[in-house]
Amino acid sequence: MSANYQPLPTSEVLGKQRIVDPDLHPELTPEDPAIKIMRDFRETPPSTIRGDVSVSEARVVMKLADVPLKLVVNGSGEFVGIISLKDVLGKKALATAHAKGTSLDEVQVKDIMERPNQFPSIHVRHLANVRIGDVVETFNQAQTDHFLVFEDDENQPGRTRLRGLISSGLIARRLHIALESNARARTFSDIVHAVHGHFE
């Protein structure tokens, strides 16, 4: 190695050490720019899964990884949908298998995922002019738990790519509020299933 490099001073670790807590985010209000609540994929890569993976395999993978949702990609790595742990654990896969006349093992992630056009979306350049409260109102009116954020794709002029995600659950935790779209218990039956941990 170059003579310009010097070894760092080291010391022995004595006793038990407390692990540092992550820096706490400052309190947010509904008046803050919506971009402050976006999960930016430039900073934190998303968890992904291929659409041709079986639901049975996805169930195992998502449980082991302890992730509530994954972005679904095709063979080219392009974003084609979102799959949640609730989807793979619930009755959606069974209903799909029944409708297609196949076994549950033949149902793939792409068969039960939610597609991009099922979510509200916005270009990242507009987020600075949108308040968190505006996003909250969008969640309260739309039957969705996620908000997609896109940006221009510099490698493909005229096209966009997924830049980030805004989660209603994250907003609820950060603002200490309840969003109407979170519950989704529209009937007494839904409420009973939610209480007992069952998902449709």
Side-chain angles (χ1 to χ4, degrees):
M1 296 292 286
S2 168
N4 293 329
Y5 296 115
Q6 299 294 326
L8 298 175
T10 61
S11 60
E12 181 181 356
V13 176
L14 301 175
K16 299 176 181 178
Q17 300 290 312
R18 188 177 67 84
I19 300 173
V20 67
D21 293 324
D23 292 335
L24 296 176
H25 294 289
E27 286 294 315
L28 294 177
T29 73
E31 293 299 314
D32 286 319
I35 198 165
K36 290 188 176 183
I37 205 70
M38 179 184 80
R39 179 180 175 191
D40 193 340
F41 296 152
R42 286 181 179 270
E43 298 176 0
T44 307
S47 179
T48 62
I49 191 168
R50 282 180 55 132
D52 56 6
V53 169
S54 71
V55 169
S56 299
E57 183 180 346
R59 184 184 301 125
V60 174
V61 169
M62 295 179 74
K63 275 187 169 182
L64 289 175
D66 193 25
V67 292
L69 66 85
K70 282 181 175 284
L71 300 188
V72 183
V73 296
N74 60 19
S76 301
E78 298 167 320
F79 168 63
V80 294
I82 292 178
I83 189 78
S84 70
L85 188 57
K86 181 174 72 173
D87 291 332
V88 299
L89 291 178
K91 298 177 182 177
K92 194 173 184 180
L94 283 171
T96 301
H98 178 74
K100 297 178 70 171
T102 62
S103 69
L104 183 59
D105 290 336
E106 295 180 54
V107 178
Q108 298 181 330
V109 166
K110 64 185 177 184
D111 296 325
I112 65 170
M113 70 183 184
E114 293 185 88
R115 303 185 183 281
N117 61 8
Q118 294 178 256
F119 301 97
S121 64
I122 191 171
H123 196 286
V124 69
R125 67 171 167 263
H126 298 308
L127 275 187
N129 301 319
V130 176
R131 299 164 300 173
I132 293 176
D134 297 320
V135 178
V136 169
E137 188 59 26
T138 303
F139 280 128
N140 282 339
Q141 293 189 15
Q143 291 300 313
T144 181
D145 290 321
H146 301 97
F147 201 102
L148 304 178
V149 182
F150 290 88
E151 68 176 6
D152 294 330
D153 189 339
E154 63 232 11
N155 297 320
Q156 299 185 58
R159 297 192 61 183
T160 57
R161 60 187 176 188
L162 186 62
R163 168 67 180 272
L165 194 69
I166 299 177
S167 162
S168 63
L170 178 59
I171 290 180
R173 290 193 300 273
R174 293 288 303 278
L175 268 63
H176 310 293
I177 60 174
L179 273 67
E180 294 170 18
S181 62
N182 278 348
R184 306 275 194 90
R186 294 181 293 275
T187 68
F188 179 75
S189 175
D190 290 336
I191 294 171
V192 171
H193 279 81
V195 169
H196 291 284
H198 300 147
F199 302 103
E200 297 296 335

